[in-house]
């Protein structure tokens, strides 16, 4: 009798973990700063994962805990894509900041800064400078925040 009760408890705990994971995934996919409308958040998440609004809503409220594998995969892929986009944006911002710092450093002493860049980058300072310049130019064309040339 105790075995069945502990099995039910484990099953219940697992069910709550799955429900929490889907709810969390829907929240992360649909999050928009300053928006507290749950229906809008669920709708954004459904669009991001390419699933129906009703499925996203059932997952968010825990009404469905065992969706089709395709639904789970779509949610997982959308979350991975979102993480990749965030990482790419963070890298682009960091790269832009590095380009601005490199420009400021180069303006203080052009000869010293070029030789230090060459040493620090293993002799590839010119190539890095060209990459930084093209990166900033492309951001300027796209309307990025860091439009200062390198």
């Amino acid at each position: 009798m105790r075995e069945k009760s502990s099995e039910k408890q484990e099953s219940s705990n697992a069910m709550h973990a799955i429900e929490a994971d889907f709810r969390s995934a829907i929240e992360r996919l649909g999050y928009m700063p300053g928006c507290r409308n749950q229906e809008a958040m669920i709708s954004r998440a459904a669009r991001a994962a390419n699933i129906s609004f009703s499925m996203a809503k059932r997952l968010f409220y825990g009404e469905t805990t065992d969706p089709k594998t395709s639904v789970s995969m779509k949610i997982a892929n959308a979350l991975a894509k979102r993480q990749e986009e965030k990482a790419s944006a963070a890298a682009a911002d960091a790269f832009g900041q590095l380009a601005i710092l490199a420009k400021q450093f180069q303006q203080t002493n052009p000869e010293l800064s070029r030789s230090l860049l060459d040493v620090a980058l293993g002799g590839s300072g010119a190539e890095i400078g060209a990459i930084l310049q093209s990166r900033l130019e492309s951001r300027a064309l796209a309307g990025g925040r860091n439009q200062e040339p390198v």
Side-chain angles (χ1 to χ4, degrees):
M1 186 72 168
R2 285 188 177 176
E3 287 180 20
K4 286 189 179 185
S5 132
S6 67
E7 286 177 13
K8 283 184 181 180
Q9 182 65 33
E10 288 176 18
S11 175
S12 176
N13 289 344
M15 190 80 95
H16 289 297
I18 291 169
E19 289 172 7
D21 287 344
F22 282 121
R23 182 181 178 93
S24 173
I26 298 298
E27 286 174 342
R28 286 182 296 183
L29 287 173
Y31 174 75
M32 187 165 103
C35 182
R36 292 203 162 102
N37 183 336
Q38 283 188 339
E39 294 242 338
M41 183 258 310
I42 293 169
S43 180
R44 282 190 300 276
R47 284 191 307 274
N50 198 23
I51 61 175
S52 70
F53 173 80
S54 61
M55 176 55 76
K57 188 174 180 180
R58 288 194 308 263
L59 290 169
F60 181 77
Y61 289 112
E63 297 166 359
T64 299
T65 57
D66 189 22
K68 292 180 183 177
T69 302
S70 62
V71 171
S72 296
M73 291 301 295
K74 286 179 179 182
I75 291 171
N77 289 338
L79 285 171
K81 182 179 176 186
R82 180 70 47 95
Q83 282 301 111
E84 185 178 308
E85 289 170 351
K86 284 183 180 180
S88 179
D93 283 345
F95 205 68
Q97 291 299 319
L98 177 62
I100 291 169
L101 291 173
K103 177 65 175 176
Q104 291 170 349
F105 182 65
Q106 187 177 18
Q107 288 173 348
T108 60
N109 187 335
E111 288 304 312
L112 176 63
S113 64
R114 176 58 59 202
S115 62
L116 283 175
L117 279 175
D118 285 343
V119 169
L121 301 171
S124 60
E127 293 86 5
I128 295 296
I131 291 170
L132 291 173
Q133 181 65 36
S134 67
R135 186 72 158 170
L136 282 178
E137 287 171 359
S138 68
R139 287 188 71 157
L141 290 174
R145 293 180 303 199
N146 300 326
Q147 297 181 7
E148 188 175 313
V150 175

